[in-house]
Amino acid sequence: KVTVNPAEPPATVKVDGKARGPTPLSLELNAGKHTVTLERSGSKKLVKQIQVPLAGTFTLNADLEPQ
C-alpha cells in the first residue's frame, strides 16, 4: 500500500506514468520499484522513485515548490 500526502493543496498523482487521482491518496501497488509524479498548477513537478515493500505501507510526504 502506498499513501501520498502533500502538505499543500491537492496535487495530481501519477504512478509509472498513469494518472491515479488527487492527493491525499492511498493506492494498492505491487511490491517493487515505482515512479511517483506529483503535479499541480503553479508548482514544480516532483518525481520520486520509490520501493514498495512486500508487506506494510510506504508513505510519501512531499511538498511541491512554487515555479
Side-chain angles (χ1 to χ4, degrees):
K1 183 176 184 178
V2 174
T3 303
V4 183
N5 296 311
E8 300 291 325
T12 299
V13 178
K14 292 182 181 177
V15 178
D16 300 328
K18 290 185 174 184
R20 301 299 295 263
T23 58
L25 184 66
S26 290
L27 300 168
E28 295 293 331
L29 295 178
N30 292 331
K33 292 182 182 180
H34 296 277
T35 302
V36 177
T37 305
L38 297 177
E39 298 175 314
R40 181 179 51 240
S41 179
S43 298
K44 292 181 183 178
K45 177 169 61 173
L46 177 71
V47 179
K48 290 275 192 182
Q49 299 290 323
I50 66 168
Q51 179 72 37
V52 177
L54 284 172
T57 300
F58 181 93
T59 300
L60 175 61
N61 294 308
D63 292 326
L64 298 178
E65 295 179 21
Q67 277 186 325

